[in-house]
Amino acid sequence: MADHGFSERRACRLIGVNRSAWQYEPMRGQDDAVRVRMREIANERRRFGYRRLAILLEREGKGMNLKKVYRLYREERLTVRKRGGRKRALGARAPMAIPQEPNQRWSLDFVSDSLACGRRFRLLNVIDDYSRECLACIVDTSLSGRRVVRELSAIAESRGLPCMVVSDNGTELTSHAVLAWCQDTVVEWHYIAPGKPQQNGFVESFNGRLRDECLNEHLFPSLAAARRMIEAWRTDYNTVRPHSSLGGLAPAEFTNRPRHGHMDTEAKLSAA
C-alpha cells in the first residue's frame, strides 16, 4: 500500500490476508489488580496451581477464562515446583553473621561408626561456632528428634540457650519435637541448603578431626567403651589440643583468654 499505492482490499487479496484480521486491534484489559491478588494467594497457598487459583479468584468476583489465568500465572512465574524426595524443613537463606561471642551459634551434625562386633552406633556432635568448643558428643545406637531436644536442653541448663542453631535437613532435626523446642525456647534454627555441607563448615571440620584422631585410631569393644574413649578425646580437644584457627589455642583457652591480649587472634577469626 505504501510502495505501490494499492488499496487495502487489493493489498490484502494479494498477500492472502483477511481484511478483518488486518484491521483487528487487540484490547488487552487492565489485569494489574488480578496479578497482585494472584500473587497474594499464591504466597499464602504455595502448593496451589493455576486451576485452584482460578477458582479462588472466581469466588472473589475476579473470574476469567482459564487460559488467561494460565497466561498470567506463567508471566508472574508462580509455577509450583515439584518436591523431590522426602519433606524438608525450610530455613532462611540469608548469609549468617560470624559469631562474636560464645553461645551465639551452635552447630550440630551426626557421625556414624561401628563397634568391634560390627554393630553400628551414632554420635551427635554439638559445636560452639565462636570458640570451636565441642559442647557434647552423644554416643548411642539410636538418636531420635526427642533425644536431640533432651540433649540440647541439658547443655542449655549449664550454658544457657544459644541465639541460633545450625544443622542439615536430617529427619531427626526436622522432626516435630525439634520444631516444638524451637517454638518453646524462641531459638532460631537455620537449616543449610540440601547438598551443601560447606554451609555448616565448623561442625564438618570437627567431624573430620574426630574421625581422623579418635574413631579411626581405636577399636571399640562395647558402647560403654566407645562413650568413655570419645568423651576422653572430647575433653582433650577442648582443653589441650591446639586449634589452628584459634591461633594455636585450645577452645577453652581461647574462651578464657584476656580479650585485650589476643587482638591478632580475633582478627584471624573474623577473617576466617
Side-chain angles (χ1 to χ4, degrees), residues 174-209:
T174 57
S175 63
H176 291 294
V178 170
L179 299 179
W181 183 81
C182 292
Q183 185 175 1
D184 294 340
T185 58
V186 199
V187 172
E188 182 181 357
W189 198 292
H190 179 95
Y191 291 101
I192 65 174
K196 300 290 184 179
Q198 62 271 24
Q199 294 181 3
N200 202 11
F202 293 115
V203 72
E204 291 291 344
S205 175
F206 173 83
N207 292 344
R209 303 284 73 74

Side-chain angles (χ1 to χ4, degrees), residues 9-210:
R9 185 188 304 274
R10 185 179 181 186
C12 289
R13 185 174 63 251
L14 289 173
I15 64 175
V17 174
N18 192 289
R19 289 180 64 199
S20 62
W22 170 257
Q23 295 171 355
Y24 175 76
E25 295 182 3
M27 301 291 292
R28 290 284 179 93
Q30 296 298 324
D31 301 320
D32 293 343
V34 176
R35 291 174 184 269
V36 171
R37 184 55 185 154
M38 183 181 292
R39 287 196 299 268
E40 292 175 352
I41 298 175
N43 289 332
E44 294 172 1
R45 303 177 180 275
R46 295 185 298 174
R47 304 307 299 173
F48 275 20
Y50 75 97
R51 296 179 186 274
R52 286 193 174 90
L53 294 180
I55 295 173
L56 297 179
L57 289 173
E58 186 175 1
R59 290 177 182 175
E60 298 179 1
K62 299 181 176 65
M64 60 184 67
N65 185 281
L66 190 61
K67 292 182 179 179
K68 183 175 181 180
V69 174
Y70 181 69
R71 176 173 61 81
L72 298 179
Y73 179 80
R74 292 296 298 272
E75 290 176 358
E76 294 298 320
R77 298 183 179 181
L78 300 176
T79 306
V80 178
R81 295 183 179 181
K82 293 183 178 180
R83 295 189 187 275
R86 58 183 172 81
K87 179 177 69 175
R88 298 181 185 273
L90 299 178
R93 290 293 177 258
M96 295 184 295
I98 297 175
Q100 300 300 318
E101 294 289 340
N103 229 36
Q104 286 188 345
R105 191 174 72 209
W106 295 354
S107 296
L108 329 178
D109 200 12
F110 290 98
V111 176
S112 297
D113 203 51
S114 59
L115 303 175
C117 62
R119 186 181 184 186
R120 303 290 295 179
F121 67 88
R122 304 183 74 194
L123 297 89
L124 171 64
N125 298 325
V126 185
I127 303 298
D128 187 304
D129 288 355
Y130 172 75
S131 64
R132 312 304 201 270
E133 180 182 359
C134 177
L135 307 181
C137 278
I138 311 302
V139 180
D140 213 329
T141 55
S142 177
L143 294 169
S144 64
R146 293 182 180 179
R147 178 69 181 281
V148 171
V149 167
R150 290 202 305 270
E151 297 297 341
L152 292 179
S153 299
I155 299 172
E157 287 181 1
S158 59
R159 298 182 58 93
L161 290 168
C163 300
M164 176 186 289
V165 176
V166 183
S167 75
D168 58 21
N169 291 268
T171 54
E172 302 88 350
L173 304 176
T174 57
S175 63
H176 291 294
V178 170
L179 299 179
W181 183 81
C182 292
Q183 185 175 1
D184 294 340
T185 58
V186 199
V187 172
E188 182 181 357
W189 198 292
H190 179 95
Y191 291 101
I192 65 174
K196 300 290 184 179
Q198 62 271 24
Q199 294 181 3
N200 202 11
F202 293 115
V203 72
E204 291 291 344
S205 175
F206 173 83
N207 292 344
R209 303 284 73 74
L210 171 64

